[in-house]
């Protein structure tokens, strides 16, 4: 999407992730109200449109979240679903409204509660009308097959994969929003329960509840609100997964390669200029492959990039500074919006105890969505934002 | 007041059944998967996609696919779909017709390897909504 005019992020909100008694609507409302307050918005009428990402919590989720905030009425509230990409897609649509001058201020929210409703001990899967699902396909299996092939081709071991968990959870250790952050030994990670060979429990993101919210606005509105640290949206891309059922290289990811390429083009910011990155690390192997897909390093150099410390503090790009999905868990519809909220806080230097130093200027986020037979993922949404003060 | 007669509607049977378009199991002969070749552009697909995503052609010719292929990758699943017994094994099988098949693998966990040869077989993959077994294609070591 070519932005037709400048779009800024005024404020963001996120809840603590974890097992919540609060349902998705209360979580979403908390995150949204936090974003409203940090944006200095003083009346519901200022919100021109709102988009809400959710995957499993039913119908009219957006209106359910926003009615208590007094936003329902003339304001269009549109509900967005694309599995894990839904929250980021909601933010994308809010950006689109402002970029094209349809509104001066819009909101994107992602909210999800899994634990109140979901049967534990089973894996997420596409719908039963998908032929792979009928034959036992689940998302963990899809990623596990990538890991199997990657290990076969490169000689990487489970210990190597575990380095990703170790790094990301260390990043999330002092982040109060990240329930799984902490210090883990490689043994603890690889000795945890096997989920889908070679992925053990600690290599998989947890199933949790949570919400994130982002307020975007025009330059004029940003000045009117008196935002001191405006974050500029430099690029926002949504794509759908190319379909075919030919043999292909699953140690790559066609949709992530395509989307990041488009984002670099749109933003004019190259992979080597990205200071921090939140990516779709639902499973360890994904992060390793995505370094390469996003051209942070060359093809086949992901493991070296990790081992050389290029993905942590002091490296080329701090990957998952908030702790990633491996530390946050993954409330499907919420994650994409929460990633952007976390990135904004890093750019503003608001992450006491887990702040990246020097304070980053360029932040990228990436979240794929779902899996269908004949695709790697059904959707991909990426954002590039920069400090603008 | 007229008495309302309650007619209990018969439950429709679960029509989850994938065989006719996917798999043929001839008597006294090994099973085969059915590929579909677009009559307009020649693209071969499995499973059948209609219309042809390449040219929107609507006529197809059925082509039996090779029974043997190469196991591109696999995983032993210990947490699986609701209702499926674990562990079970899944894999991607690449056939010489330049088609990739996702299938359950018949065999023991911890025994499969990438790039080994596998062959088509059939087996029970799951139960349908009526609790009846669904038999479908699977692959095993060749
Ligand atoms: Zn065709």
């Amino acid at each position: 999407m070519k932005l037709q005019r400048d779009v800024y992020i005024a404020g963001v909100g996120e809840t603590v992730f974890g097992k919540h008694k609060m349902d998705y609507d209360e979580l979403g409302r908390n995150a949204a109200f936090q974003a409203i307050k940090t944006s200095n918005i003083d009346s519901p009428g200022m919100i021109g449109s709102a988009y809400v990402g959710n995957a499993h919590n039913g119908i009219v989720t957006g209106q359910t979240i926003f009615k208590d905030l007094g936003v329902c009425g003339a304001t269009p509230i549109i509900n967005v679903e694309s599995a894990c990409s839904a929250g980021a897609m909601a933010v994308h649509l809010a950006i689109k409204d402002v970029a094209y001058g349809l509104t001066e201020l819009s909101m994107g929210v992602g909210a999800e509660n899994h634990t109140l409703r979901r049967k534990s001990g089973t894996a997420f899967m596409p719908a039963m009308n998908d032929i792979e699902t009928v034959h036992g396909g689940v998302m963990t299996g899809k990623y596990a097959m990538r890991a199997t092939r990657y290990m076969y081709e490169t000689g990487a071991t489970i210990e190597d994969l575990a380095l990703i968990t170790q790094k990301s959870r260390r990043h999330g250790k002092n982040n109060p929003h990240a329930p799984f952050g902490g210090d883990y030994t490689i043994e603890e990670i690889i000795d945890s329960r096997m989920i889908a060979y070679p992925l053990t429990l600690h290599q998989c993101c947890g199933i949790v509840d949570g919400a994130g919210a982002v307020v975007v606005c025009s330059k004029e509105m940003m000045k009117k609100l008196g935002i001191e640290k405006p974050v500029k949206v430099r690029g926002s891309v949504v794509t759908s997964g190319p379909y075919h059922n030919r043999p292909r290289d699953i140690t790559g990811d066609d949709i992530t390669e395509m989307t990041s390429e488009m984002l670099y083009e749109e933003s004019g910011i190259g992979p080597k200029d990205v200071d921090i990155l939140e990516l779709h690390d639902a499973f360890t192997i994904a992060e390793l492959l995505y370094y390469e897909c996003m051209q942070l390093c060359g093809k086949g150099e992901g493991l070296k990039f990790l081992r050389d410390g290029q993905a942590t503090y002091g490296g080329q790009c701090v990957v998952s500074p908030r702790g990633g999905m491996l530390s946050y868990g993954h409330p499907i519809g919420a994650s994409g919006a929460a990633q952007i909220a976390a990135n904004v806080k890093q750019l503003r230097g608001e992450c006491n105890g887990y702040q990246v130093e020097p304070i980053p200027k360029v932040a990228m986020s990436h979240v794929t969505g779902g899996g269908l037979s004949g695709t790697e993922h059904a959707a991909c949404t990426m954002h590039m934002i920069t400090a603008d003060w | 007041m007229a008495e309302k007669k309650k007619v209990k509607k018969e439950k429709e049977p679960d029509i989850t059944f994938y065989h006719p378009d996917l798999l043929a199991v001839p008597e006294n002969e090994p099973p085969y998967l059915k590929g579909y070749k677009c009559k307009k552009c020649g693209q071969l697909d499995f499973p059948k996609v209609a219309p042809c995503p390449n040219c929107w052609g609507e006529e197809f010719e059925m082509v039996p696919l090779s029974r043997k292929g190469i196991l591109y990758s696999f995983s032993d699943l210990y947490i699986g779909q609701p209702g499926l017994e674990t562990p079970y094994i899944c894999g991607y099988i690449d056939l010489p017709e330049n088609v990739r098949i996702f299938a359950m693998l018949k065999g023991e966990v911890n025994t499969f390897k990438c790039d080994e040869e596998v062959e088509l077989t059939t087996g029970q993959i799951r139960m349908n909504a009526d609790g009846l077994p669904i038999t479908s294609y699977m692959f095993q070591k060749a």
Side-chain angles (χ1 to χ4, degrees), chain A residues 16 30 74 86 96 134 227 237 243 295 297 301 304 309 330 351 355 367 370 373 388:
Chain A
V16 171
N30 286 354
K96 204 173 193 171
V134 174
I227 302 299
V237 180
Y243 170 82
Q295 303 169 52
C297 62
E301 291 170 2
K304 184 175 185 302
H330 185 20
C351 299
Q355 180 65 45
V367 61
S373 61
D388 198 67

Side-chain angles (χ1 to χ4, degrees), chain B residues 32-132:
Chain B
Y32 61 89
L33 292 172
K34 294 177 169 180
Y36 291 87
K37 193 171 185 173
C38 172
K39 284 187 176 170
K40 199 168 152 192
C41 78
Q43 177 165 302
L44 179 71
D45 273 304
F46 178 90
K48 184 179 182 179
V49 270
C52 168
N54 186 48
C55 74
W56 291 350
E58 296 182 78
E59 286 183 51
F60 302 88
E61 178 197 349
M62 195 280 283
V63 180
L65 299 178
S66 300
R67 297 191 57 254
K68 285 187 179 175
I70 300 296
L71 182 62
Y72 172 72
S73 195
F74 67 92
S75 176
D76 300 330
L77 298 176
Y78 293 86
I79 299 283
Q81 284 182 13
L84 287 190
E85 253 179 64
T86 51
Y88 63 91
I89 316 167
C90 286
Y92 282 132
I93 298 96
D94 291 345
L95 299 184
E97 289 84 358
N98 193 33
V99 167
R100 175 167 290 176
I101 313 282
F102 175 90
M104 279 191 184
L105 301 176
K106 205 182 252 184
E108 299 299 313
V109 294
N110 256 328
T111 61
F112 285 95
K113 286 185 178 58
C114 291
D115 283 350
E116 69 181 336
E117 198 180 30
V118 288
E119 67 178 357
L120 182 72
T121 182
T122 58
Q124 184 186 318
I125 53 163
R126 64 188 315 128
M127 300 296 195
N128 74 4
D130 292 334
L132 299 169

Side-chain angles (χ1 to χ4, degrees), chain A residues 75-288:
Chain A
T75 309
I77 294 174
I78 295 173
N79 304 305
V80 182
E81 187 284 304
S82 249
C84 321
S85 224
M89 220 179 254
V91 177
H92 169 85
L93 292 167
I95 292 168
K96 204 173 193 171
D97 280 0
V98 175
Y100 283 85
L102 298 173
T103 63
E104 293 302 308
L105 184 145
S106 291
M107 291 191 71
V109 177
E112 193 89 39
N113 186 307
H114 293 303
T115 66
L116 284 178
R117 296 182 168 81
R118 218 186 126 69
K119 183 169 175 264
S120 63
T122 56
F124 283 109
M125 62 194 203
M128 276 304 284
N129 59 0
D130 185 89
I131 190 164
E132 292 187 359
T133 309
V134 174
H135 289 82
V138 287
M139 291 312 293
T140 39
K142 200 150 182 156
Y143 284 98
M145 285 196 284
R146 286 173 162 177
T148 304
R149 187 71 198 183
Y150 187 84
M151 287 162 64
Y152 174 73
E153 286 185 13
T154 64
T157 61
I158 301 185
E159 284 82 355
D160 291 323
L161 296 179
L163 288 170
I164 299 274
T165 303
Q166 193 176 48
K167 173 205 55 108
S168 296
R169 290 195 170 168
R170 192 180 68 237
H171 289 181
K173 186 178 165 183
N174 297 317
N175 181 352
H177 295 89
F180 306 113
D183 290 318
Y184 286 78
T185 65
I186 296 295
E187 288 68 36
E188 270 178 285
I189 296 162
I190 63 173
D191 290 343
S192 61
R193 181 177 176 201
M194 187 62 77
I195 301 296
Y197 174 84
L199 302 174
T200 56
L201 179 68
H202 286 311
Q203 295 187 61
C204 305
C205 62
I207 292 170
V208 297
D209 319 312
V214 179
V215 171
V216 297
C217 64
S218 64
K219 191 167 196 169
E220 295 68 37
M221 178 59 83
M222 195 254 313
K223 283 181 184 159
K224 197 169 142 190
L225 294 169
I227 302 299
E228 280 176 17
K229 290 184 171 179
V231 169
K232 192 170 185 181
V233 177
R234 301 293 293 266
S236 175
V237 180
V238 172
T239 56
S240 50
Y243 170 82
H244 65 81
N245 44 26
R246 314 283 154 223
R248 63 176 172 273
D249 178 13
I250 60 170
T251 69
D253 183 45
D254 51 10
I255 191 167
T256 294
E257 283 159 19
M258 172 177 75
T259 312
S260 54
E261 190 76 51
M262 288 165 74
L263 185 67
Y264 296 141
E265 173 80 29
E266 183 179 313
S267 65
I269 295 170
K272 299 287 175 342
D273 297 320
V274 177
D275 297 324
I276 60 169
L277 163 64
E278 289 294 338
L279 46 64
H280 196 132
D281 60 335
F283 303 90
T284 50
I285 181 64
E287 177 164 330
L288 201 51

